[in-house]
Amino acid sequence: MQLLMDRILKDGKVIGNDILKVDSFLNHQLDIELFNEMGKEFKRLYKDSEITKILTIEASGIAIASIAAQYFNVPVVFAKKYSGTNMDKDNYEAEVYSFTKNTTYNIKVSKQYINSSDKILLIDDFLANGRALLGLSSIVKQAGAEIVGAGIVIEKAFQGGREIVEKEGIRVEALASIEKMELGKVIFKEY
Amino acid sequence: MQLLMDRILKDGKVIGNDILKVDSFLNHQLDIELFNEMGKEFKRLYKDSEITKILTIEASGIAIASIAAQYFNVPVVFAKKYSGTNMDKDNYEAEVYSFTKNTTYNIKVSKQYINSSDKILLIDDFLANGRALLGLSSIVKQAGAEIVGAGIVIEKAFQGGREIVEKEGIRVEALASIEKMELGKVIFKEY
């Protein structure tokens, strides 16, 4: 998606060879106009698929999923990393290791909000090593629901997540795919 | 907002005298169509105010703020409760005690994303004791920006948050205001 790639080149900050900071528009300050264009693109990519629900993970996925949901006319469910006292006790759960936070989360989705007739689109901001998508996929499988595919904003293709996720039989669509980062520059994959 | 009050009566679950669970449409599964109606209502309430940015707090505020932002044509910034290794080091910070999670969070907003010319609308899902709004307000003041007001989905009026927040000079608009909860029932304030 050209608009997104241009924005990454303009406002993304590369740190070392593997961190891309996009705080200014994607995951701290949120450019909702851009999110709408991303939502339309996810809809275009999945226009032939029946989707009943979007599943994402807190926190950065929530806004992207919510804006995109308007183009699919479906509700969003977000997996919780941190459950309060109000959370249901009857949940689907999966472990997800986060490299950026150096923590393993036990993510949870109430059993009430995914059922075996659901056709689920997974949405997240980044695909790096694929751990978050695998965790969400595990939850969908526990519910006996179908995974239609994943919609990712930025794929760091050099971290191998796509291969791991595709091996699970999951279709992966990324709006921008980064081949490598070096000397402070982002180099996108050519198609 | 009648549509919201009807939905709370239909799908909200009262636990004891102070917990209202609205997981099925507001803060775990998200009814994005309803969120659009809420966004329109926030715009109607603040139609005469110039607003440059919406500030909310992760995780439940993010979707509400993002959908509402479409009616104001402004970006969203969300205060982070949990900062990863990628987070800026130069932040506005405030302490917020959460009763539902029995934890004090040190919420953070990068200094890059609020500045002294901003006119800020605060958005959150619940107003109970007011701690989250006070934390957000502290961050806006540290930035030297203006708080136009707060837009809250559900106010638990019996927990005193509005008084505390209004004493700070902040306008508070709630889409549904609960006077009390007893015997499993929600009783709304009459206007």
Side-chain angles (χ1 to χ4, degrees), chain A residues 33-46:
Chain A
E33 260 188 79
L34 175 66
F35 281 31
N36 268 293
E37 296 307 314
M38 288 162 17
K40 286 178 207 169
E41 183 66 8
F42 285 132
K43 176 63 185 176
R44 192 186 66 78
L45 290 163
Y46 283 102

Side-chain angles (χ1 to χ4, degrees), chain A residues 21 23-24 27-30 36 53 63 66 70 75-78 80 82 85-86 88 100-101 110 113, chain B residues 21 23-24 27-30 36 53 63 66 70 75-78 80 82 85-86 88 100-101 110 113:
Chain A
K21 282 194 57 160
D23 270 12
S24 65
N27 48 24
H28 185 18
Q29 179 168 251
L30 315 176
N36 268 293
K53 206 161 272 183
S66 297
Q70 300 174 121
V76 170
V77 174
F78 68 89
K80 302 212 177 196
Y82 316 92
T85 51
N86 297 358
D88 284 341
T100 50
K101 303 206 179 181
S110 165
Y113 306 129
Chain B
K21 282 193 59 160
D23 269 13
S24 65
N27 48 25
H28 185 19
Q29 178 168 251
L30 315 177
N36 267 293
K53 207 162 270 182
S66 297
Q70 299 175 122
V76 170
V77 174
F78 68 89
K80 302 213 175 194
Y82 315 92
T85 51
N86 297 359
D88 284 340
T100 50
K101 302 206 178 180
S110 166
Y113 306 129

